[in-house]
Amino acid sequence: MHLRRKAALVALPVLLHPVLAQKVVGLTGDGWTVSSKALNISVPGKLPSQVHLDLYAAKVIDDPYHGLNDFHQRWICNNNWTYTSHPLTDLSANAKSSWLVFNGLDTFTTIEVCGQIIGTTDNQFRQYAFDISMALESCKGDPTLDLNFGSAPEIADAIANDPDSEQWPYGPQQIFEFPNRWYIRKEQSDFGWDWGPAFAPAGPWRDAYLVQFKNEESVYVLNTDLDIFRKGQINHLAPDQSQPWVVNASIDFLGSLPQKSSMTIEIKDVESGKTLKTSSLEDVSISRQTITGCVTVDANTPNLWWPSGLGKQNLYNVTVSIQDSKQQTLVNVTRRTGFRTIFLNRLNITDDQLAKGIAPGANWHFEVNGREFYAKGSNFIPPDAFWPRVTEERMKQLFNAVVAGNQNMLRVWASGAYLPDFIYDIADEQGVLLWSEFQFSDAVYPSDETFLENVAAEVTYNVRRVNHHPSLALWAGGNELESLELPLIQDAAPDRYSFYVGEYEKLFITLILPLVYENSRSISYMPSSTNNGFLYIDLSAPIPMAERYDNTTSGHYYSDTDHYNYDSSVAFDFGSYPVGRFANEFGYHSMPSLQTWQQALDPEDLHFNSSTVVLRNHHYPPGTTDTHNFKNSSKGMGEMTVAVERYYPIPHKHDSVEQFSAWCHATQLFQADMYKSQIMFYRRGSGMPERQLGSLYWQLEDIWQAPTWAGIEYDGRWKVLHYVARDIYQPIIVSPFWNYTTGDLSIYVTSDLWETARGWVNLTWVDLSGKPIPGNAGTPPSKQFTVGALNATKIYETNTAKLSIPDKTNAVLVLSLTARGHLPNSQTVSTFAHRNKVTTVFPNKLSLLDPKLLLSHDSATGTFTVEAKGGISLYTWLDYPAGVVGYFDDNAFTLVPGEKKTVRFTAQKDETGRTWAQGVTVRSLWDQTTN
Ligand SMILES: *[C@@H]1O[C@H](CO)[C@@H](O)[C@H](O)[C@H]1NC(C)=O
Ligand SMILES: *[C@@H]1O[C@H](CO)[C@@H](O)[C@H](O)[C@H]1NC(C)=O
Ligand SMILES: *[C@@H]1O[C@H](CO)[C@@H](O)[C@H](O)[C@H]1NC(C)=O
Ligand SMILES: *[C@@H]1O[C@H](CO)[C@@H](O)[C@H](O)[C@H]1NC(C)=O
Ligand SMILES: *[C@@H]1O[C@H](CO)[C@@H](O)[C@H](O)[C@H]1NC(C)=O
Ligand SMILES: *[C@@H]1O[C@H](CO)[C@@H](O)[C@H](O)[C@H]1NC(C)=O
């Protein structure tokens, strides 16, 4: 297994300059060796990489995602590993100084140059630079690097056992698999979460460089903070849109600059290539290893950047250069950015708002370029347990699905990793706002000086690194800290409650808030994801933001909401949903498709309650490193089963794999319907006193193949949820609210356009064969409506007892909306169409008829046409085979006999040699129970 290959370390082009010079050797690529002395393993490695990936590539281990390998491969993270470079042959002999720069080491490393320790690291999220000039001098022959990675679970335990370490009461410290994650600055979900595996990987997960300076006055750029804001802007107040833009450029560097350095800037429109501005920067100052300057840009000169659906994503290249006193350029930095303001409004409700019928309390919504908008989206978790294999191609595919899904915002949840720039770049291009969080979740964290210093470096680096991205929407301190952790602390240690609130504020307000504000004038900060806002902000106070916590008045609204209820008996009870200003997470888990399961399971495991399926369900987590967590996992499996049995026809197939597939599908139907019900409710809230302006469901995508809350499976396949969410996230929707206890039925139209829209809704009662119900069951066949900007209007209200429906099990109300209006920032009138349906019994009580679905494919146009020849087809589901990833224009739709539905399939990835079209099938609810 021992293999040493000739150098493949990539040398970047040498930047030569008449006087000033530096040499940058990229350490990325092959040519590394990964080894464990204790285990007597040595295999070829890469950078960036992680040990699991290199062991898998070397065939020492099987696919980590196969079967129960997340348990079987625990030995990897329980050991120490060393990444050793090939001898570095192309270094400069007469450098003045030499540095190692790491953009990400996961996590505990001791770094050696020619056997000499030059430094250690303990934070996955920081950038590290080490002066290795002295160490290099002592090398005999070509230098080598050793990166020794310690076992993270072992080190976390050692810190926990240190008598100097803080200890907390039991309840609030949520353990998924490995304990003690809160002591270490590593992706918290690496130690397990309820939707993912616990691999606790180690390795150099981001790029690294060896930088050599040949001359005193030479610099290497470590990080750049480009901050674009409206003059006078303050993070937590609405920016004045008439003010000029301020562009503040700040560059962190290695090496040294001449005292009399100056800075210039060039701003270029990416689309037209036209130069918007070239100028020298004002107020240039150098402090330590940072140079900063700024310039103003006329208020109306740049074209604004807008999120998807609200306007164009106008982008600009900003090139900042540093010159010496002879006007020689020492360095250029280019960042692609956009001009926009994004503001999280948590200010008190004003008198003007009260006069408009908005309930008192505080706002909790976003404003882009001074405009309120409805935030539609979901929560983003790490797309893989191993970040080095998250490619640009995969992320483009995912973000295409986000935009195709009518989503304009993702919450980048707090216990994965800060996203690499290339993902923000994709979000900038596609118009997806990223509510970004610092990596703290579901635990109480230390607040000793060493920990705070470590966090401060992490926060500063990441705030500066991503600040130029127009997609960056918000910084939040962490996940569920105020809404869940503080109440848990209250329960576990009531007498120490105010002490722990103090600790919380020390880290998330006193430390982090000023770090965000010092490095960004453009982005709002809040300490935790779900919260009741603040009472006031006083930047000179020791605790600059006074959170409202539970200092609230009933009947007032202050907060965003998070909602999980695994009692499926109230899944469609609107009275059980939270009423607030913004819904930032809610959901229920479901199974992935058969095709996705087949990627990870042996054929004999393809049934609903096989040990492997059950143990891959980490809801509920074991709370220990126990790998036989049948008790908790079965509870989660039971919740899915019970939900299906309550509302949907129970699958009944002879073939065991088909039966498994039908069950997986059934759990997805429940999931999608439940989210749809909540999204309709939250969106309608835009026209209610709570003035609800956001819905981000849990969760966008999967980290692996398992039962989870995701709408998109691991390889990109859409569950029923992502299609249904796309449908209900359309700009103008018709939504029924049926109270199955009282029989009350009301129909609303909700619009998130920025101006009034008009149209009509056809309401058509039919039986399941598609025949009209006499007299339309007493319902008017059509209703006209006018719906205001970002508003909802009730178009019809009745009680099912008043309707003349001969047989409730044989009746469907088809709602069909047509409307006209302007999309935000669009000059042309658009036509909107939306379909919905109502049944007055749940789907399992319907007297379903065979819809006799006919599917045809037109290879010339690439379209698929479905027709129901028998009866109404509910949840009409087009399915595609393994080997291709993509999505249909529409899916899970209702089809009435006589209608033809033609859809296209967008293939995002095809490994079938274009033969997949022959494998496309169609089914409906009726097929769930038939062979
Ligand atoms: C890993 O290295 C540390 C520090 O040298 C050592 O204490 C520990 O025993 C090692 N762990 C294993 C599993 O070899
Ligand atoms: C903007 O910058 C990118 C990346 O540096 C470059 O590929 C692109 O050509 C630039 N566009 C313009 C118009 O300068
Ligand atoms: C900076 O950019 C300018 C203009 O493109 C170019 O002429 C110069 O060589 C660059 N300088 C350095 C140090 O990269
Ligand atoms: C907001 O309202 C609260 C009462 O809920 C009040 O205590 C606080 O001072 C107000 N804040 C500001 C900035 O007016
Ligand atoms: C609640 O708010 C009131 C007024 O806004 C303030 O005087 C009081 O100190 C607050 N209480 C807490 C516990 O923060
Ligand atoms: C029906 O309405 C009542 C009264 O508003 C409410 O309490 C209940 O939650 C509703 N039930 C359902 C099923 O929506």
Side-chain angles (χ1 to χ4, degrees):
M1 260 184 289
H2 192 91
L3 194 97
R4 280 233 142 159
R5 271 189 289 156
K6 189 71 190 118
L9 294 175
V10 185
L12 291 182
V14 177
L15 303 172
L16 280 178
H17 191 274
V19 223
L20 312 157
Q22 57 172 280
K23 177 171 181 146
V24 179
V25 178
L27 300 175
T28 54
D30 298 331
W32 290 80
T33 303
V34 184
S35 61
S36 158
K37 233 189 229 138
L39 300 169
N40 197 22
I41 293 176
S42 176
V43 298
K46 281 197 305 201
L47 188 149
S49 192
Q50 283 167 325
V51 175
H52 289 80
L53 298 177
D54 290 323
L55 293 178
Y56 181 34
K59 300 196 163 64
V60 172
I61 58 167
D62 185 19
D63 179 357
Y65 275 14
H66 186 78
L68 296 176
N69 281 345
D70 60 323
F71 298 147
H72 301 151
Q73 295 178 357
R74 289 256 173 97
W75 57 272
I76 300 171
C77 69
N78 288 331
N79 273 285
N80 302 326
W81 295 90
T82 299
Y83 275 78
T84 304
S85 76
H86 189 274
L88 304 173
T89 52
D90 44 3
L91 297 188
S92 158
N94 53 357
K96 282 268 192 275
S97 69
S98 301
W99 296 76
L100 276 177
V101 177
F102 296 100
N103 287 334
L105 293 168
D106 180 11
T107 289
F108 296 94
T109 56
T110 304
I111 300 153
E112 293 172 40
V113 173
C114 302
Q116 274 196 55
I117 295 178
I118 54 102
T120 61
T121 73
D122 63 355
N123 189 331
Q124 176 183 1
F125 310 121
R126 282 174 63 179
Q127 179 189 48
Y128 289 95
F130 298 100
D131 184 346
I132 57 165
S133 318
M134 299 282 278
L136 278 184
E137 276 172 24
S138 68
C139 292
K140 297 184 182 65
D142 292 331
T144 54
L145 311 177
D146 284 300
L147 316 176
N148 302 299
F149 289 87
S151 156
E154 193 176 82
I155 292 169
D157 290 349
I159 299 172
N161 292 330
D162 182 332
D164 288 340
S165 293
E166 186 171 359
Q167 305 291 334
W168 296 273
Y170 175 70
Q173 301 308 71
Q174 299 192 36
I175 302 170
F176 294 86
E177 296 186 47
F178 296 114
N180 298 319
R181 60 185 168 83
W182 42 86
Y183 290 109
I184 67 171
R185 297 310 301 141
K186 173 173 173 55
E187 175 162 311
Q188 301 282 280
S189 63
D190 282 350
F191 276 27
W193 216 265
D194 50 8
W195 36 252
F199 286 106
W205 72 299
R206 306 290 304 277
D207 47 347
Y209 302 91
L210 200 156
V211 179
Q212 295 195 293
F213 297 113
K214 294 188 176 168
N215 189 287
E216 294 294 350
E217 293 185 340
S218 175
V219 292
Y220 171 81
V221 174
L222 287 173
N223 199 12
T224 301
D225 182 4
L226 198 63
D227 197 21
I228 301 183
F229 53 91
R230 294 283 189 183
K231 196 170 173 198
Q233 186 171 337
I234 293 171
N235 308 55
H236 54 267
L237 297 177
D240 178 349
Q241 302 297 327
S242 68
Q243 290 294 319
W245 294 99
V246 179
V247 178
N248 195 337
S250 180
I251 296 173
D252 303 326
F253 58 87
L254 269 185
S256 56
L257 279 176
Q259 265 316 308
K260 288 216 173 101
S261 298
S262 58
M263 296 172 90
T264 57
I265 193 166
E266 180 188 55
I267 306 176
K268 245 186 181 176
D269 185 322
V270 167
E271 196 181 73
S272 69
K274 279 200 197 119
T275 302
L276 181 82
K277 180 157 188 136
T278 45
S279 150
S280 47
L281 293 188
E282 293 150 27
D283 302 327
V284 173
S285 66
I286 305 179
S287 92
R288 296 207 280 176
Q289 295 300 115
T290 299
I291 181 166
T292 305
C294 68
V295 70
T296 56
V297 174
D298 291 347
N300 300 317
T301 320
N303 293 316
L304 298 178
W305 182 94
W306 293 95
S308 172
L310 306 182
K312 265 186 78 174
Q313 289 75 56
N314 294 299
L315 295 168
Y316 290 88
N317 276 356
V318 173
T319 300
V320 180
S321 309
I322 308 175
Q323 286 91 10
D324 64 14
S325 55
K326 298 184 204 95
Q327 300 306 309
Q328 298 239 42
T329 297
L330 305 180
V331 73
N332 295 321
V333 179
T334 299
R335 289 286 178 273
R336 197 187 58 187
T337 185
F339 289 80
R340 60 89 184 89
T341 65
I342 180 80
F343 161 57
L344 174 64
N345 187 344
R346 295 196 301 159
L347 301 172
N348 286 347
I349 294 292
T350 62
D351 290 343
D352 275 358
Q353 288 182 301
L354 288 174
K356 284 182 188 148
I358 298 179
N363 287 285
W364 209 112
H365 68 260
F366 290 87
E367 293 171 16
V368 65
N369 298 324
R371 303 291 307 246
E372 284 182 351
F373 66 99
Y374 200 90
K376 298 184 288 197
S378 52
N379 283 261
F380 180 100
I381 62 154
D384 205 296
F386 307 104
W387 278 98
R389 68 180 184 186
V390 176
T391 60
E392 199 170 322
E393 186 197 350
R394 272 175 70 188
M395 288 301 97
K396 279 200 168 141
Q397 188 183 301
L398 183 63
F399 276 75
N400 283 339
V402 170
V403 171
N406 291 320
Q407 305 195 9
N408 58 29
M409 182 181 285
L410 300 176
R411 173 176 162 236
V412 183
W413 168 82
S415 275
Y418 301 94
L419 297 187
D421 279 282
F422 79 83
I423 300 184
Y424 280 98
D425 280 331
I426 295 169
D428 294 345
E429 285 161 18
Q430 306 252 5
V432 180
L433 288 165
L434 299 177
W435 155 345
S436 302
E437 304 196 334
F438 297 111
Q439 309 302 326
F440 300 90
S441 190
D442 298 299
V444 183
Y445 285 86
S447 57
D448 58 88
E449 280 313 309
T450 316
F451 190 82
L452 295 185
E453 273 170 31
N454 198 356
V455 170
E458 162 190 336
V459 166
T460 304
Y461 170 61
N462 286 290
V463 169
R464 293 173 69 79
R465 178 175 64 85
V466 304
N467 198 49
H468 64 279
H469 293 285
S471 58
L472 178 65
L474 174 71
W475 278 112
N479 172 58
E480 295 179 329
L481 302 173
E482 284 186 25
S483 55
L484 182 68
E485 287 305 304
L486 292 183
L488 288 173
I489 275 277
Q490 173 94 68
D491 290 346
D495 47 331
R496 300 259 292 156
Y497 181 65
S498 57
F499 169 79
Y500 285 117
V501 171
E503 300 255 277
Y504 165 73
E505 294 183 339
K506 190 170 163 190
L507 174 56
F508 293 102
I509 302 180
T510 305
L511 179 78
I512 295 183
L513 183 143
L515 291 174
V516 176
Y517 276 38
E518 280 159 21
N519 291 292
S520 176
R521 293 278 296 267
S522 47
I523 299 298
S524 309
Y525 175 73
M526 63 179 188
S528 178
S529 52
T530 311
N531 62 73
N532 282 327
F534 55 77
L535 290 170
Y536 60 86
I537 293 184
D538 175 359
L539 295 177
S540 61
I543 303 164
M545 184 180 275
E547 287 291 87
R548 183 176 277 105
Y549 298 123
D550 290 330
N551 201 342
T552 56
T553 306
S554 75
H556 296 205
Y557 300 108
Y558 304 90
S559 70
D560 57 339
T561 60
D562 111 349
H563 180 62
Y564 296 96
N565 188 346
Y566 298 104
D567 172 4
S568 53
S569 72
V570 293
F572 302 108
D573 178 350
F574 304 108
S576 71
Y577 303 157
V579 179
R581 306 278 189 198
F582 193 108
N584 63 301
E585 45 174 304
F586 53 93
Y588 205 101
H589 52 304
S590 74
M591 294 279 265
S593 65
L594 173 66
Q595 293 92 323
T596 290
W597 273 123
Q598 282 169 329
Q599 298 163 7
L601 299 191
D602 292 326
E604 63 269 25
D605 289 331
L606 292 171
H607 49 100
F608 201 83
N609 286 317
S610 74
S611 302
T612 312
V613 166
V614 173
L615 290 178
R616 284 177 78 104
N617 181 13
H618 293 190
H619 168 71
Y620 295 80
T624 69
T625 50
D626 175 15
T627 57
H628 285 74
N629 174 37
F630 287 101
K631 191 166 141 265
N632 290 355
S633 294
S634 301
K635 250 178 96 181
M637 299 303 289
E639 288 168 352
M640 288 188 284
T641 312
V642 169
V644 168
E645 287 171 351
R646 232 187 257 285
Y647 301 110
Y648 299 85
I650 296 171
H652 184 69
K653 305 261 178 194
H654 293 320
D655 180 84
S656 72
V657 174
E658 277 185 38
Q659 174 74 351
F660 179 58
S661 176
W663 260 105
C664 291
H665 189 63
T667 67
Q668 292 192 16
L669 294 179
F670 167 74
Q671 179 194 36
D673 273 345
M674 185 196 183
Y675 286 50
K676 174 177 172 178
S677 171
Q678 283 188 64
I679 293 169
M680 292 192 304
F681 176 82
Y682 297 134
R683 285 194 64 181
R684 185 183 69 169
S686 64
M688 298 286 176
E690 68 267 24
R691 185 63 173 163
Q692 211 278 5
L693 289 178
S695 156
L696 308 180
Y697 61 81
W698 189 270
Q699 69 201 53
L700 172 68
E701 85 311 1
D702 258 329
I703 193 170
W704 71 333
Q705 308 91 341
T708 75
W709 296 254
I712 298 180
E713 296 169 10
Y714 174 63
D715 75 347
R717 179 178 289 266
W718 293 17
K719 283 184 178 174
V720 178
L721 168 59
H722 200 77
Y723 287 106
V724 167
R726 169 169 72 175
D727 173 69
I728 213 67
Y729 276 154
Q730 291 190 66
I732 306 181
I733 55 165
V734 53
S735 41
F737 293 85
W738 170 50
N739 186 320
Y740 53 84
T741 314
T742 62
D744 287 338
L745 172 67
S746 49
I747 314 281
Y748 280 78
V749 169
T750 302
S751 165
D752 65 3
L753 302 189
W754 288 351
E755 58 161 53
T756 300
R758 289 183 177 79
W760 68 92
V761 176
N762 291 337
L763 304 92
T764 314
W765 282 100
V766 287
D767 67 18
L768 287 164
S769 71
K771 280 208 297 289
I773 289 180
N776 204 31
T779 300
S782 184
K783 281 285 199 181
Q784 301 227 336
F785 67 83
T786 301
V787 61
L790 271 176
N791 215 327
T793 184
K794 182 158 58 185
I795 59 158
Y796 177 61
E797 185 176 33
T798 187
N799 187 288
T800 49
K802 291 192 203 145
L803 297 175
S804 42
I805 305 170
D807 176 1
K808 283 190 174 184
T809 71
N810 189 20
V812 183
L813 171 59
V814 178
L815 303 168
S816 184
L817 171 146
T818 308
R820 284 163 73 76
H822 286 97
L823 281 167
N825 282 311
S826 166
Q827 304 307 316
T828 52
V829 176
S830 300
T831 301
F832 300 89
H834 185 242
R835 284 280 288 266
N836 215 325
K837 65 160 199 309
V838 183
T839 57
T840 59
V841 293
F842 285 109
N844 56 357
K845 296 287 186 316
L846 289 171
S847 318
L848 295 172
L849 280 178
D850 183 356
K852 301 207 167 76
L853 288 172
L854 261 186
L855 172 69
S856 57
H857 175 53
D858 181 339
S859 51
T861 59
T863 55
F864 297 86
T865 300
V866 194
E867 218 178 323
K869 291 287 202 188
I872 290 201
S873 171
L874 297 169
Y875 305 91
T876 315
W877 183 248
L878 287 152
D879 202 11
Y880 62 85
V884 60
V885 175
Y887 51 88
F888 295 98
D889 291 346
D890 198 359
N891 215 346
F893 46 84
T894 301
L895 202 55
V896 179
E899 281 180 334
K900 272 189 186 175
K901 177 99 176 175
T902 297
V903 294
R904 196 176 297 277
F905 181 77
T906 303
Q908 296 180 296
K909 194 171 132 197
D910 181 12
E911 288 163 355
T912 69
R914 299 198 187 165
T915 62
W916 56 267
Q918 286 125 51
V920 170
T921 58
V922 68
R923 57 178 148 160
S924 74
L925 194 63
W926 187 79
D927 298 285
Q928 283 290 90
T929 57
T930 58
N931 280 291

